[in-house]
Amino acid sequence: MSLSVILAALSPLRPYLIQLSVDKYITNHLLQMLIYISVVQLGILLIENGLRFWFLYRINWLGQTVINDMRKSVFRKILFQNIGYYDRTPIGTLTTRTINDVEAVNDVFSEGIVSIIADILTIIAIMIIMFITDWRLTLVCLAPFPILILATYWFKESVNKSFQRVRNAVAALNAFVQEHIVGMYIVQAFAAEKTEMDKFKTINKEHRDANIKAIFAYSVFFPVVEIILAMSMGLLVWWGAHRMLDYSVTPGVVIAFVMYLNLLFRPLRMMADKFNVLQMGMIAGERVFTVLDSKEHLADNGTVNADNIRGEVKFENVHFSYKAGTPVLKGISFEIPAGKTMAVVGHTGAGKTSIISILNRLYEIEGGSIKIDGTNLKDYDIYSLRNHIGIVLQDVFLFSGTIAENITLRNADIPREKVEAVCKLLGIHNFIMSLPGGYDFNVMERGNTLSQGQRQLLSFARALLYNPSILILDEATSSVDSESEQLIQQAIDKMITGRTSIVIAHRLSTIRRADEIMVMDKGQIIERGNHQSLIAAQGEYYKLYTAVEKQKERV
Ligand code: DCP
Ligand code: MG
């Protein structure tokens, strides 16, 4: 900040010295002094630009430091955000917040606030010196200024509007491309390339139009500024020449004024632009801070360590909804003794996946209680608890990286032997070794280079790595080839033995092996019992079971 003051004070100095040399030394033929003054000029020039370098460097350094911290905070916030937040917030938005918006905040530093202040100071310093030197001449020169102010205002407004449109268009483009690359399979399978291309063209056209609007404003504004500058110069020469004739103005002053005017117009030209940067930065900053301020953190004040849990799970009259007013679970009560297996079956949308999401505290329940080993879920330290609940989800997500990294989730503390031991236990070691590179086989983004069954096998290893006391398995409905099917079957058997398991099951073999079966419908438990008793009861389970049996016969 003090640098900008020094810079502002220095800027009128060189024209002033020129004025001196012209009026005093040249007219009086003091050549010796002229050499001195040139040396001083050179010195000032070096100092001024040295300072300018340091100024720019510092500002950008500051900006980069700030955005580095800011980006870290935003991503940390995102990492710890409640899962429910992601049901409502599009991915594109969050990516934009972490990457683009933070960048715009940086621009406030590098081109915005500080340099605007520096420019204003420079302008003030020059104006003061001009008025002191010759206030009448100054007034004449600055006569076209009101036009400049009007032009600047128009420019700022129109560019601002266009940039707003550009930003929206960029966000739309981002979101569109992102979504379509993820969903490319569907697009191509349904031969929707042409329609999607047309949609893309529309969005892209909006982007182009908005940009052209902004460019138009630029193309008009800069020539206008040049014309105004030329007008000022003209007035200066006209008035200055008149006054030089009656010796009330020296040639040095006129020359100095030419330089002053140039110095004055240089920052003015960029000012409107910088104000826009500032404004956009503010808007972006505001958005970033809404993310930073959102209080969707899980209330995490549990302290009980889960290291020695046996794994007795008890739901008591649990009520839960994703959106207030649309209940998903309506009074669920059940109990699983430690080490036993409970199978959950039911139609799609019955609330099966929801049960495991709340057991892992990804969402908070609305009523009732969930206890593990008699201790309320909320009293456990959440990270310790989640380490002891192994989970296999319906859709397996793989990160880009090696097989080993995907199993350990890049936790380098876990030795390769441990990973291999788990895979051997699950019976999938040979399958992994059959891939090129074995455990170092590179999984592409989203795991697209592996089959569904293979991905599922990897997710089993992931879940079992920490030897959890409680295992949650949301079986995928999709059928896999018989070889993988057998591997999966055996792996599931291995996984559920000896630990409390909740299995949302679609395989009859898994269901039959369970100690208890719970049938769900529309957020409620409608039947419970083991396989024999439920078949004998000839209720909903019987219907589901016979339907699945029939399907099997057909295959
Ligand atoms: N639901 C929601 N928001 C989510 C997830 C689900 O509003 N993030 C709704 C959709 C369903 C209800 O909750 O109406 C129950 O969803 P579940 O995922 O619990 O249903 P299931 O797991 O039983 O269904 P499926 O067998 O299809 O997996
Ligand atoms: Mg489900």
Side-chain angles (χ1 to χ4, degrees):
M1 197 48 77
S2 51
L3 272 176
S4 56
V5 175
I6 300 175
L7 270 175
L10 277 180
S11 55
L13 209 54
R14 282 192 300 134
Y16 179 73
L17 285 177
I18 292 212
Q19 176 198 336
L20 264 187
S21 31
V22 172
D23 288 351
K24 289 234 167 67
Y25 310 127
I26 293 184
T27 35
N28 300 331
H29 301 283
L30 288 172
L31 286 184
Q32 189 64 36
M33 277 312 278
L34 212 54
I35 292 175
Y36 289 148
I37 219 131
S38 303
V39 172
V40 173
Q41 279 283 36
L42 188 69
I44 293 177
L45 188 71
L46 286 179
I47 293 174
E48 201 181 326
N49 285 294
L51 283 177
R52 186 157 284 142
F53 150 75
W54 186 239
F55 183 63
L56 271 178
Y57 180 73
R58 286 299 294 187
I59 289 180
N60 282 290
W61 182 86
L62 181 73
Q64 288 301 332
T65 319
V66 169
I67 66 158
N68 181 21
D69 290 347
M70 196 171 207
R71 197 167 273 152
K72 271 192 287 188
S73 317
V74 173
F75 194 65
R76 183 174 300 118
K77 192 79 193 184
I78 291 178
L79 273 183
F80 287 89
Q81 204 72 294
N82 224 339
I83 285 291
Y85 182 74
Y86 298 96
D87 294 345
R88 281 170 277 121
T89 319
I91 307 175
T93 314
L94 288 176
T95 333
T96 315
R97 295 292 170 275
T98 356
I99 316 274
N100 305 50
D101 285 347
V102 173
E103 198 64 48
V105 172
N106 173 46
D107 291 343
V108 170
F109 285 91
S110 54
E111 302 176 33
I113 185 101
V114 184
S115 59
I116 286 183
I117 292 174
D119 284 351
I120 291 178
L121 286 176
T122 309
I123 290 171
I124 292 175
I126 291 174
M127 289 235 191
I128 289 176
I129 247 319
M130 279 169 82
F131 270 99
I132 291 175
T133 317
D134 191 326
W135 65 270
R136 270 170 300 195
L137 192 57
T138 310
L139 281 185
V140 171
C141 291
L142 299 187
F145 250 52
I147 312 175
L148 182 67
I149 291 170
L150 280 181
T152 307
Y153 181 76
W154 166 81
F155 171 74
K156 183 179 140 352
E157 288 300 299
S158 82
V159 164
N160 199 13
K161 248 184 252 144
S162 318
F163 273 153
Q164 206 92 29
R165 269 177 67 196
V166 172
R167 282 187 82 82
N168 289 340
V170 168
L173 274 177
N174 272 340
F176 193 85
V177 170
Q178 195 166 26
E179 196 176 336
H180 281 75
I181 289 176
V182 174
M184 192 53 77
Y185 199 90
I186 305 291
V187 173
Q188 298 200 349
F190 285 83
E193 291 97 332
K194 246 181 87 66
T195 27
E196 297 303 328
M197 189 65 217
D198 289 342
K199 277 189 226 159
F200 183 78
K201 278 183 194 157
T202 322
I203 303 178
N204 202 31
K205 185 170 172 296
E206 163 64 16
H207 180 246
R208 185 197 61 193
D209 292 348
N211 257 322
I212 287 179
K213 252 301 199 4
I215 292 165
F216 176 76
Y218 274 93
S219 331
V220 172
F221 179 66
F222 288 120
V224 166
V225 174
E226 287 305 320
I227 291 172
I228 295 171
L229 174 60
M231 278 161 70
S232 280
M233 290 284 183
L235 285 170
L236 168 68
V237 173
W238 168 72
W239 181 262
H242 267 269
R243 304 261 315 278
M244 247 152 52
L245 291 181
D246 58 24
Y247 296 105
S248 58
V249 163
T250 57
V253 169
V254 174
I255 294 175
F257 263 57
V258 170
M259 291 179 79
Y260 287 143
L261 280 181
N262 269 320
L263 282 178
L264 206 55
F265 271 73
R266 193 170 57 190
L268 274 177
R269 238 185 310 221
M270 302 315 295
M271 194 85 103
D273 220 16
K274 283 176 183 165
F275 264 113
N276 278 325
V277 169
L278 194 63
Q279 202 162 5
M280 287 201 294
M282 303 278 217
I283 295 171
E286 223 168 90
R287 290 185 185 159
V288 172
F289 278 109
T290 1
V291 174
L292 286 176
D293 287 344
S294 60
K295 297 201 171 47
E296 302 224 22
H297 253 72
L298 205 61
D300 176 26
N301 33 31
T303 48
V304 181
N305 189 296
D307 280 351
N308 294 312
I309 54 169
R310 287 171 295 121
E312 182 193 287
V313 178
K314 191 171 181 188
F315 275 56
E316 276 174 313
N317 197 25
V318 172
H319 286 263
F320 169 69
S321 67
Y322 292 98
K323 277 194 302 276
T326 36
V328 169
L329 298 179
K330 307 161 194 165
I332 300 283
S333 303
F334 65 86
E335 200 173 329
I336 313 171
K340 298 290 183 184
T341 300
M342 153 94 85
V344 184
V345 296
H347 291 295
T348 177
K352 305 182 295 293
T353 302
S354 308
I355 285 195
I356 63 175
S357 301
I358 57 176
L359 180 58
N360 210 11
R361 269 195 84 193
L362 288 172
Y363 298 90
E364 294 287 17
I365 56 174
E366 275 170 4
S369 70
I370 304 175
K371 288 180 180 154
I372 293 179
D373 287 7
T375 306
N376 196 309
L377 208 59
K378 288 180 183 170
D379 297 331
Y380 282 104
D381 172 72
I382 185 116
Y383 301 105
S384 149
L385 183 72
R386 284 180 183 166
N387 269 336
H388 292 281
I389 301 182
I391 190 158
V392 177
L393 292 176
Q394 234 167 343
D395 320 297
V396 179
F397 189 92
L398 296 182
F399 295 91
S400 47
T402 66
I403 296 260
E405 282 171 343
N406 261 293
I407 294 175
T408 60
L409 290 179
R410 294 210 178 85
N411 183 343
D413 296 339
I414 300 171
R416 177 62 63 87
E417 295 80 57
K418 193 172 168 193
V419 177
E420 286 187 21
V422 168
C423 293
K424 278 178 186 152
L425 175 79
L426 283 171
I428 63 174
H429 178 70
N430 289 337
F431 142 67
I432 292 174
M433 292 311 284
S434 73
L435 295 168
Y439 285 87
D440 293 318
F441 175 77
N442 220 334
V443 181
M444 289 305 285
E445 226 172 311
R446 285 174 284 124
N448 276 352
T449 35
L450 293 173
S451 80
Q452 289 238 340
Q454 293 170 328
R455 276 183 253 173
Q456 208 150 64
L457 288 170
L458 292 183
S459 74
F460 289 174
R462 203 189 257 173
L464 219 54
L465 195 62
Y466 291 95
N467 192 20
S469 318
I470 300 174
L471 184 93
I472 295 170
L473 172 60
D474 203 347
E475 264 189 353
T477 22
S478 57
S479 42
V480 292
D481 63 275
S482 54
E483 197 183 332
S484 298
E485 176 67 34
Q486 237 189 356
L487 272 178
I488 290 175
Q489 199 81 244
Q490 289 164 358
I492 290 178
D493 278 353
K494 283 269 168 44
M495 280 202 293
I496 60 178
T497 352
R499 46 175 67 86
T500 313
S501 315
I502 300 181
V503 185
I504 297 168
H506 300 286
R507 290 185 173 77
L508 290 175
S509 54
T510 327
I511 301 174
R512 274 200 228 108
R513 250 186 122 275
D515 298 295
E516 190 173 17
I517 299 162
M518 183 165 100
V519 185
M520 286 193 65
D521 189 40
K522 300 193 183 77
Q524 280 168 322
I525 300 173
I526 49 170
E527 281 174 11
R528 283 175 68 167
N530 61 20
H531 180 68
Q532 276 83 23
S533 68
L534 286 175
I535 289 289
Q538 302 234 328
E540 198 60 32
Y541 177 77
Y542 177 79
K543 277 194 244 164
L544 276 170
Y545 181 78
T546 40
V548 177
E549 281 281 77
K550 268 210 201 95
Q551 213 171 23
K552 243 183 139 183
E553 272 162 29
R554 263 191 274 127
V555 176

